[in-house]
Amino acid sequence: MTILELDRLSVLNTLPDRDPFGHKGTFGKVLLLCGSRGFTGAAYLAAMGALRAGAGLVYLGVPESIYAIEATKLNEPVVFPLPENDGKLSGEAIPQILERLPTMDAVLSGCGLGVSEGTLMMVRAVLENAECPVVLDADGINLLSGHMDVLRGRQNKTILTPHDGEFLRAGGVLSEDRMASAAAFAAEYGCILLLKGHRSCVTDGQVGYLNRTGNPGMAVGGSGDVLAGILTGLLGQGMEPLKAAACAAWLHGAAGDLCAVQLGQYAMLPTDLLNALPRLLK
């Protein structure tokens, strides 16, 4: 397997150009299905990550009971309520989601989503109907434990972003060679895998990117939601999934390194990562 590394120059050269004649639709329409009662921050961080990565239009679908919270916190995304059951998205939300799917350039589900029969039905419906790339993070991955076969046949249009625990729950096998472990999983299920952790590994089973940015100060709840949002924002702009995942991992870690220098590793927060991204992308 070919293993590559990225640096700031190669990332900036890989990112799509901003068309001087473009408009908000030019730079991608992305749909985020995130959040649940008690986990409103995850949806917020993912939506802002997508915007900071350059997405033109971000649509955030959340359970009805947290709609007012998200709509108050978020100015730029289009936030809309969806049917729920006990604070989590329900199967009744599926028709509204499927109606939006054909016009989307990328979809993210999982950040703060919660585990229930309704959320499982929703994630499966998205995977079975979406023609665009789909990012699964956190509970989006946990929900598919025991149902991973649904990924086969999507031709590397699904990107999973697990930490080690989620990777194991999804059926992955970890060895000392984390890249080889990630590649075996990606090849088996026909997906792109971004295995988070020290030296995150990104692979489609044939080519791997080893990320060397990032630091322990990023080990805070919400950091992964920012990463998932960045990745979805890049996919929405038309980036090829493997390169989008590799660039997202590098940008996320580099933003963390910038925060560590300016704020220290103890006090830095996921919102600081969002604020650091413009300086990296300028």
Side-chain angles (χ1 to χ4, degrees), residues 119-191:
T119 52
L120 173 58
M121 291 171 59
M122 184 273 293
V123 168
R124 292 197 66 150
V126 168
L127 290 172
E128 290 167 358
N129 290 275
E131 296 294 331
C132 63
V134 175
V135 178
L136 296 179
D137 181 56
D139 284 334
I141 300 169
N142 292 331
L143 285 163
L144 286 186
S145 298
H147 306 275
M148 297 302 296
D149 286 348
V150 72
L151 299 181
R152 293 192 175 101
R154 279 186 48 81
Q155 299 176 339
N156 284 348
K157 286 186 177 180
T158 313
I159 304 92
L160 276 60
T161 60
H163 56 57
D164 286 359
E166 292 161 347
F167 180 64
L168 292 171
R169 283 193 289 274
V173 178
L174 276 175
S175 65
E176 291 185 6
D177 188 339
R178 296 177 78 247
M179 181 65 80
S181 300
F185 184 95
E188 181 176 358
Y189 292 107
C191 66

Side-chain angles (χ1 to χ4, degrees), residues 245-267:
C247 288
W250 190 94
L251 287 168
H252 182 249
D257 290 341
L258 186 58
C259 290
V261 171
Q262 296 179 335
L263 303 171
Q265 292 187 14
Y266 284 93

